[in-house]
Amino acid sequence: MALACAAVQDFLVWCVLAVAVAVATASGPWPLARMVLETGLFLAILRYAVRPGLRRLLAPQRARAVGSPLIHAVLVTGLLVSAWATDEIGLHAVFGAFAFGASIPRRRIEERAPQVVERIEQTSLFLLPVFFTVTGLSVDIGRLGSVGMA
């Protein structure tokens, strides 16, 4: 229960941070509106195109013909493309990765290719510290606080 609450809290904090960064970096109302529209379009594509495509790829009759290396490659490629897309929109890449992960039909993957889930979990054990290191190094502490002080 505590882990689930922590995950929900992290998600909400990331959402608040995304809104704050988007509002702070937007040069006016139109770029902000464009960012919101592009984000909505991105989420709609994930919901109405990517998710059904993954369901067809993982369908019981196709799962035997499609091997787990192909499923793994499709998932990693989708993750990277989604991260790139949200970065191009103006949001942090982690939002694209999260949205892609939320659009994956997990039950079908666990049923058809459980080794893919294990490989991704092993990879995340390595990449998670790398993500926090890169994020921490990109923080510019000198820009905090002293704006407008005389």
Side-chain angles (χ1 to χ4, degrees):
M1 179 65 101
L3 187 60
C5 290
V8 170
Q9 178 188 4
D10 284 350
F11 171 72
L12 293 174
V13 168
W14 274 101
C15 289
V16 168
L17 180 63
V19 169
V21 168
V23 169
T25 59
S27 58
W30 295 117
L32 184 61
R34 182 187 60 82
M35 186 184 304
V36 170
L37 289 174
E38 288 176 350
T39 302
L41 178 65
F42 171 72
L43 293 174
I45 289 170
L46 284 179
R47 171 71 173 100
Y48 296 110
V50 172
R51 187 172 177 89
L54 288 173
R55 280 190 178 147
R56 270 184 252 125
L57 177 69
L58 298 167
Q61 62 272 19
R62 290 203 58 186
R64 298 189 202 319
V66 176
S68 68
L70 177 64
I71 293 170
H72 189 249
V74 167
L75 292 178
V76 170
T77 302
L79 173 92
L80 294 174
V81 168
S82 295
W84 171 80
T86 54
D87 191 51
E88 287 296 312
I89 289 171
L91 296 173
H92 197 282
V94 75
F95 293 108
F98 178 81
F100 182 77
S103 69
I104 294 173
R106 277 183 268 325
R107 284 190 195 123
R108 287 198 179 175
I109 289 177
E110 290 171 356
E111 292 170 0
R112 306 293 175 228
Q115 60 275 21
V116 171
V117 176
E118 184 178 322
R119 278 190 217 130
I120 290 174
E121 287 174 355
Q122 290 172 352
T123 305
S124 69
L125 289 175
F126 169 71
L127 291 179
L128 193 61
V130 172
F131 167 74
F132 284 115
T133 301
V134 170
T135 303
L137 289 174
S138 66
V139 172
D140 183 10
I141 299 200
R143 294 181 65 187
L144 295 175
S146 63
V147 176
M149 303 287 284

